[in-house]
Amino acid sequence: MLHIILLDCALELVPREISSLKQIQKHATRRGKKPFELLLDQTHHGQSMTKLPDSERRGRPDITFLSLMSILETPLCKEGLLVVHLHLQDGRIVEVQPDVRLPRNYDRFVGLVEQLLLEGRVPPQGDALLHVTGDSLEDLMSKIKQGSNASTIILAIEGGQKTSIEILQGLFPQDPSIPVIVGVGAFPHGNLAEETASMFEDHLELDREVMMAWHVCSEVLWTYSQRVGVINSRYGATG
Ligand SMILES: C[S@@+](CC[C@H](N)C(=O)[O-])C[C@H]1O[C@@H](n2cnc3c(N)ncnc32)[C@H](O)[C@@H]1O
């Protein structure tokens, strides 16, 4: 099973410290919401965000959106061999149901995440498609490893061990029952906290240049799919 953890997702509601600024107030009025009910977004709040600490790492929900679009509903997902987890910058973890069909439209995705961050789950009643768990990243990783005496834990990171696709494929176990965890940063600039990076055993650089998070997710997903035989098995007897 492949677990992709989107690390330090740039996904949060507008913080109170900038909620009274004119740009935010105007956007809230346009959306018919209160300022603190809005998802922080560089596109709409760039000027106000300059007042926030670490602003270059924040307010980019599109990174999480495009990463989820790249990996959900793929053959690996349909075979039940992929789980995606979101790790927020405040340390909370969001569980994503593997069979979730997220809106293709970005504005609708934003509305969904606003509800998730306000209510802790989506939808508010019934089976949750997305929900904020009480786990930390460390808890999540121990739960994934629990009950298995082997696991592969990789962080995709610039400056890591230079790794070709063939080498990456060889690092993945062929047996899909062995848990594989791959961490990919879902923030635009800056570095992962050392504390987060140190939870991952292998640090791999997958290209000599920086890649978009959703390209990294796709590369990992398709390489793993090939390794565990999902791509070939989908044609099976029908050839
Ligand atoms: C746009 S980058 C974030 C930039 C940030 N400077 C960093 O070091 O993480 C998004 C994420 O994609 C992954 N990534 C980007 N380029 C990579 C590369 N060449 N090799 C491996 N992972 C990469 C990393 O997980 C990174 O956090």
Side-chain angles (χ1 to χ4, degrees):
M1 173 86 78
L2 173 65
H3 294 262
I4 294 187
I5 309 183
L6 296 177
L7 295 166
D8 270 357
C9 293
L11 212 57
E12 63 181 302
L13 295 172
V14 166
R16 297 225 175 229
E17 63 217 89
I18 58 166
S19 62
S20 60
L21 297 181
K22 206 167 158 192
Q23 184 186 42
I24 306 270
Q25 295 278 340
K26 267 173 103 174
H27 188 220
T29 308
R30 224 170 35 243
R31 296 263 330 271
K33 296 201 170 212
K34 301 199 171 71
F36 61 86
E37 293 173 343
L38 297 176
L39 201 56
L40 186 70
D41 195 324
Q42 273 280 354
T43 307
H44 303 292
H45 314 135
Q47 197 191 346
S48 312
M49 282 182 64
T50 57
K51 308 254 183 293
L52 291 175
D54 283 340
S55 60
E56 73 289 351
R57 310 177 85 245
R58 302 169 67 176
R60 287 289 308 276
D62 58 305
I63 299 178
T64 303
F65 173 68
L66 291 169
S67 300
L68 290 173
M69 287 293 121
S70 306
I71 52 186
L72 291 171
E73 297 179 61
T74 47
L76 191 73
C77 239
K78 290 177 182 160
E79 295 293 329
L81 293 175
L82 173 74
V83 186
V84 191
H85 314 266
L86 311 182
H87 166 253
L88 306 183
Q89 292 185 358
D90 63 9
R92 289 180 299 164
I93 299 289
V94 175
E95 195 175 291
V96 180
Q97 278 311 303
D99 56 355
V100 66
R101 291 193 79 241
L102 290 177
R104 271 61 171 144
N105 177 283
Y106 179 65
D107 292 339
R108 289 191 55 218
F109 172 79
V110 166
L112 197 86
V113 176
E114 285 168 345
Q115 186 182 40
L116 169 75
L117 296 180
L118 282 168
E119 314 252 358
R121 72 198 309 278
V122 169
Q125 266 91 42
D127 292 338
L129 300 173
L130 306 173
H131 83 277
V132 180
T133 71
D135 289 337
S136 64
L137 180 59
E138 204 173 2
D139 298 333
L140 170 69
M141 290 176 70
S142 341
K143 280 186 185 169
I144 295 172
K145 288 186 271 179
Q146 225 165 43
S148 176
N149 37 25
S151 57
T152 302
I153 301 172
I154 290 172
L155 177 64
I157 189 164
E158 302 157 71
Q161 178 77 37
K162 292 178 178 29
T163 307
S164 65
I165 292 239
E166 288 72 25
I167 293 175
L168 178 65
Q169 199 173 90
L171 290 174
F172 291 141
Q174 267 182 306
D175 176 354
S177 71
I178 298 175
V180 172
I181 303 176
V182 180
V184 179
F187 53 93
H189 302 289
N191 296 321
L192 265 184
E194 184 45 45
E195 193 194 342
T196 304
S198 64
M199 290 184 208
F200 292 80
E201 289 158 11
D202 291 317
H203 290 193
L204 308 182
E205 181 175 276
L206 302 174
D207 194 86
R208 64 180 185 202
E209 289 184 47
V210 63
M211 290 195 280
M212 299 295 108
W214 54 95
H215 294 160
V216 177
C217 288
S218 295
E219 185 166 328
V220 166
L221 179 131
W222 291 106
T223 307
Y224 180 81
S225 300
Q226 178 79 15
R227 178 65 167 168
V228 294
V230 160
I231 296 176
N232 292 340
S233 76
R234 299 283 291 180
Y235 285 109
T238 60

